[in-house]
Amino acid sequence: MNIAPQADMPSDPVASEGVVAAGAYVDGRRVANIAIEEASSWRSKPGHVVWIGLHEPDMTILTSVQQQFQLHDLAIEDANNAHQRPKIEQYGDGLFIVARTAQLIGDSIAFGETHLFVGEGYLVTVRHGASTSYAPVRARCESCPRALARGEDYILYAILDFIVDNYSPVLETIQEEVEAMEEQVLASAMTRAQIERLYLLRRDLLRLRNAVGPLVEVCRRLEHDNLPMIRPTMQPLFRDVTDHVRTVQEQIDSLREVLAFAFEASLLVGQAQETAVSKKLASWLAIIAVPTAIAGIYGMNFKHMPELEWEYGYFAIIGLILIVCAGLFWRFRRAGWL
């Protein structure tokens, strides 16, 4: 294999806003850090693969990339507008793939996008929004030249696997909060702040599920369809990514169900507490009604009331009130109302 002299050792990285990394590889080893304008010439060399990473590039950089790899106008337009749903599209001999990324920033999930262009001798990633740098992916691939030597489809697999793996820390953090919330909900009714937090968690999980769900179809097509640049030997790896995505889906559904049960349990606890309070109030009102009724009767200004002339009438009425109130208290206490 003929390699140009300047490719013996990687040159200094190209400093350009929006360009994170751009390298040329031969047999899984980086032989040069290149400029975007050089990508086409490096790609055309036998056995060379160009891997370019972009972060929120402007249209000038995207146009330059398009010219180097003859990318479709619609794909470039989509890559410039970071509001796409996960999908895979074929333009000639190249693939355009969109995947959603997620990060937990503060108390909420922030979403981003990664657009991937894959073709013979090149792979370009375009990151928008909340997204972890793919520098660890590049470092891991470069540390294993045998794996990286498989070509563009292996790089595609490594990036998609990295995206899916990064869903797990988000779900683990949310799961810890959900478990803590679940323990508290049976102890007492949820406060307004807790209910608002529960709603936000369910909303974020729904958005995460909508971001993850279409990725199953993307990986399924990479696994089963006869797409250009995807060799049959790589399909088992994409099958593994598909399994991971489905596992993430199941975790999201499980967490949403737990939050729904927690909210329902909180409502039941609140209703039970309200019922208990109502029973107590009704019991005490019934007890208080006895002296109130008797006092009301004897507080009327009638002249002829036989009990008013009885020597022990006062003591008898007080005793009657105490006996009736004590009887009611015992009855309500036995019934569990007090």
Side-chain angles (χ1 to χ4, degrees):
M1 183 177 296
N2 295 324
I3 302 176
Q6 67 268 26
D8 293 337
M9 292 295 293
S11 59
D12 293 334
V14 180
S16 178
E17 185 177 0
V19 180
V20 178
Y25 297 81
V26 176
D27 295 331
R29 301 182 185 277
R30 188 191 301 203
V31 295
N33 293 317
I34 65 176
I36 299 296
E37 295 74 14
E38 304 170 344
S40 179
S41 59
W42 281 98
R43 170 212 178 188
S44 62
K45 296 179 181 181
H48 285 64
V49 175
V50 173
W51 182 357
I52 298 176
L54 307 177
H55 180 244
E56 298 183 352
D58 56 26
M59 197 59 191
T60 302
I61 295 178
L62 289 176
T63 301
S64 179
V65 171
Q66 179 184 20
Q67 293 172 351
Q68 294 297 311
F69 303 117
Q70 291 78 49
L71 303 178
H72 198 278
D73 291 341
L74 292 178
I76 291 296
E77 182 180 352
D78 287 345
N80 188 48
N81 299 319
H83 298 287
Q84 308 295 324
R85 69 188 303 272
K87 62 181 180 179
I88 178 171
E89 295 178 349
Q90 180 177 349
Y91 294 102
D93 293 333
L95 297 177
F96 175 65
I97 299 171
V98 179
R100 299 293 302 276
T101 57
Q103 284 183 310
L104 197 61
I105 299 179
D107 292 334
S108 60
I109 302 177
F111 294 91
E113 294 180 20
T114 293
H115 303 167
L116 301 103
F117 298 91
V118 188
E120 184 178 359
Y122 70 90
L123 184 139
V124 181
T125 62
V126 182
R127 292 191 294 123
H128 291 277
S131 174
T132 304
S133 172
Y134 296 144
V137 182
R138 189 182 292 267
R140 186 166 63 248
C141 290
E142 291 178 352
S143 67
C144 187
R146 176 181 293 183
L148 185 55
R150 296 182 182 183
E152 309 83 1
D153 48 0
Y154 180 82
I155 301 175
L156 173 61
Y157 153 74
I159 292 175
L160 290 178
D161 187 60
F162 183 76
I163 291 173
V164 176
D165 286 345
N166 277 339
Y167 293 142
S168 296
V170 176
L171 291 176
E172 289 173 0
T173 303
I174 294 178
Q175 184 173 3
E176 292 176 358
E177 184 175 358
V178 169
E179 289 176 352
M181 190 178 296
E182 189 179 16
E183 292 177 358
Q184 295 176 358
V185 73
L186 296 178
S188 61
M190 299 181 70
T191 63
R192 180 182 179 86
Q194 289 175 325
I195 292 176
E196 290 178 354
R197 180 57 183 158
L198 186 149
Y199 169 78
L200 292 176
L201 284 175
R202 281 181 57 83
R203 184 195 65 181
D204 284 348
L205 286 172
L206 178 60
R207 293 174 61 194
L208 182 59
R209 195 186 192 289
N210 291 337
V212 171
L215 198 56
V216 174
E217 177 62 19
V218 172
C219 295
R220 190 202 64 78
R221 289 193 59 190
L222 291 171
E223 175 188 350
H224 295 290
D225 293 359
N226 294 322
L227 297 173
M229 307 313 302
I230 306 299
R231 292 165 297 166
T233 55
M234 288 298 300
Q235 291 178 347
L237 295 181
F238 288 110
R239 184 182 307 120
D240 182 66
V241 177
T242 303
D243 293 339
H244 289 174
V245 176
R246 286 174 176 160
T247 300
V248 169
Q249 276 188 312
E250 292 173 358
Q251 291 176 339
I252 294 173
D253 292 339
S254 177
L255 288 174
R256 295 191 74 243
E257 287 183 6
V258 170
L259 288 174
F261 292 153
F263 182 69
E264 293 175 1
S266 176
L267 291 179
L268 292 176
V269 170
Q271 292 174 357
Q273 291 178 343
E274 291 177 359
T275 301
V277 171
S278 300
K279 288 180 178 179
K280 288 182 179 181
L281 290 175
S283 301
W284 285 114
L285 286 175
I287 294 172
I288 294 174
V290 174
T292 302
I294 295 176
I297 292 173
Y298 285 95
M300 293 184 294
N301 296 322
F302 289 108
K303 183 176 181 180
H304 300 288
M305 296 184 70
E307 294 84 355
L308 296 178
E309 305 296 332
W310 185 30
E311 181 179 358
Y312 301 103
Y314 172 77
F315 301 102
I317 293 301
I318 295 296
L320 176 64
I321 291 175
L322 292 175
I323 291 172
V324 175
C325 289
L328 289 175
F329 181 84
W330 174 82
R331 184 67 182 85
F332 289 134
R333 189 64 176 268
R334 185 179 180 183
W337 286 35
L338 289 176

